[in-house]
Amino acid sequence: MSQNVAQVVQDTQDYYDGPADEIYRTLWQDNVHLGTWEPGDTLQQAMARTNEIMADRAGVPEGAAVLDVGCGYGATALYLAATRGCQVVGINISEKELELARERAAEDDLADKATFAYGDFHDIPYPDHSFDVVWSQEAFLHGVNKQTILEECQRVLRPGGRLVISDLVARAHLSADERARIYARLRLREMWSSEEYVVGLRAAGFVVVDEDDWADNVAPTYGSVVAGVRQQYDALAERVPREQLDNTVAALDLWVESAQAGKISQVFLVAERR
């Protein structure tokens, strides 16, 4: 692993294992990804619906061997294990998130079907052809080299296996200044567009079998989270530095503003390994 990649991985781990963990546990709870919204939904209901939609559209088979890359607190892995009998391995670089994921698996009596381990998606720690499905939700945007990540996903998939992705993407028309503002506020190295993802998947040896633009998910999800931070600001400030809370609010406001202005979106992709 290059020094550049290692530093970004460490910085990301420090963020998710730091004060941000309190915010995520309080507001996002066990799911940590974008929701698919219907009138009257809570954030948790919207996020659970996303899991169902993605699994159905990807055709995740009963009993599949699944790798959940950037698994967060493990809610999606546990969903796939409980509803489809999948044997799921979740990898993550946040030790605090992994700890809670293991606790949830034990509480749900799913520790034999869902296991969790440290793993960096730039160098996935499993042999070639280990999984039927590789799954990831809003994790790849933190990567230093997305092409390397896609190639690693291809490597660990069996022939005919499927990569299932949702991720935040930048619109192709964004100016360099607009990109720089988003990257600086959100501490990102880059965001791909949907078009770049399709090109990257094909270059990595995949055939794209399903693609969708889920722009409508972005602003409601981050709007819900930032509203929660504001409502619980004083209680959170007892556990999280106010500077961290203020930075979180600013970053979430930028996600909402950028989504409403048509600058960012969410892409859903299913790609089959040749």
Side-chain angles (χ1 to χ4, degrees):
M1 184 186 299
S2 72
Q3 184 176 0
N4 186 36
V5 172
Q7 186 59 58
V8 172
V9 170
Q10 186 61 57
D11 290 346
T12 305
Q13 180 180 3
D14 290 345
Y15 172 77
Y16 281 104
D17 278 345
D21 181 64
E22 289 284 350
I23 299 171
Y24 277 70
R25 291 189 191 221
T26 301
L27 298 171
W28 294 89
Q29 298 180 23
D30 286 8
N31 277 295
V32 188
H33 55 75
L34 297 189
T36 303
W37 294 81
E38 292 185 0
D41 273 349
T42 65
L43 174 61
Q44 285 69 39
Q45 289 169 330
M47 290 188 295
R49 184 175 296 108
T50 300
N51 292 340
E52 296 170 7
I53 291 170
M54 287 180 63
D56 286 344
R57 286 185 60 167
V60 176
E62 187 77 19
V66 179
L67 177 67
D68 185 357
V69 178
C71 65
Y73 295 116
T76 300
L78 296 176
Y79 166 76
L80 294 172
T83 63
R84 296 176 183 250
C86 295
Q87 196 72 40
V88 189
V89 176
I91 62 171
N92 200 342
I93 60 172
S94 167
E95 295 292 355
K96 287 189 176 180
E97 291 182 358
L98 289 168
E99 180 182 3
L100 184 59
R102 295 183 188 110
E103 290 176 9
R104 293 288 189 257
E107 290 167 2
D108 294 348
D109 198 25
L110 288 169
D112 61 330
K113 287 188 172 296
T115 58
F116 300 93
Y118 179 92
D120 170 19
F121 49 35
H122 299 93
D123 186 16
I124 295 173
Y126 296 98
D128 297 359
H129 307 161
S130 294
F131 299 97
D132 302 306
V133 176
V134 174
W135 176 294
S136 185
Q137 292 166 280
E138 286 79 69
F140 290 174
L141 77 157
H142 294 293
V144 176
N145 188 322
K146 291 177 180 53
Q147 192 63 45
T148 295
I149 296 167
L150 296 181
E151 290 167 2
E152 277 292 280
C153 292
Q154 195 266 6
R155 179 183 64 77
V156 299
L157 274 170
R158 294 167 183 150
R162 290 194 163 188
L163 174 60
V164 187
I165 306 170
S166 65
D167 203 12
L168 287 157
V169 290
R171 295 298 195 189
H173 66 262
L174 285 189
S175 69
D177 287 345
E178 288 172 318
R179 284 180 177 272
R181 179 174 177 243
I182 292 171
Y183 294 175
R185 170 60 70 183
L186 302 169
R187 299 194 295 183
L188 300 175
R189 298 299 298 270
E190 67 170 354
M191 290 176 71
W192 272 7
S193 65
S194 298
E195 294 85 355
E196 287 172 311
Y197 258 114
V198 171
V199 170
L201 285 164
R202 289 172 178 161
F206 287 101
V207 176
V208 177
V209 297
D210 196 1
E211 178 186 1
D212 210 344
D213 185 288
W214 287 352
D216 291 344
N217 293 348
V218 182
T221 300
Y222 288 111
S224 175
V225 177
V226 75
V229 174
R230 288 190 166 105
Q231 290 166 2
Q232 301 186 54
Y233 187 95
D234 290 339
L236 285 166
E238 295 177 4
R239 310 188 303 277
V240 179
R242 289 180 182 271
E243 181 182 5
Q244 176 77 53
L245 288 175
D246 293 341
N247 288 340
T248 297
V249 168
L252 292 168
D253 279 341
L254 180 60
W255 278 131
V256 175
E257 171 196 322
S258 299
Q260 291 173 338
K263 296 178 181 179
I264 64 171
S265 183
Q266 180 192 25
V267 68
F268 167 71
L269 290 156
V270 181
E272 192 165 290
R273 186 191 193 280
R274 294 174 184 157

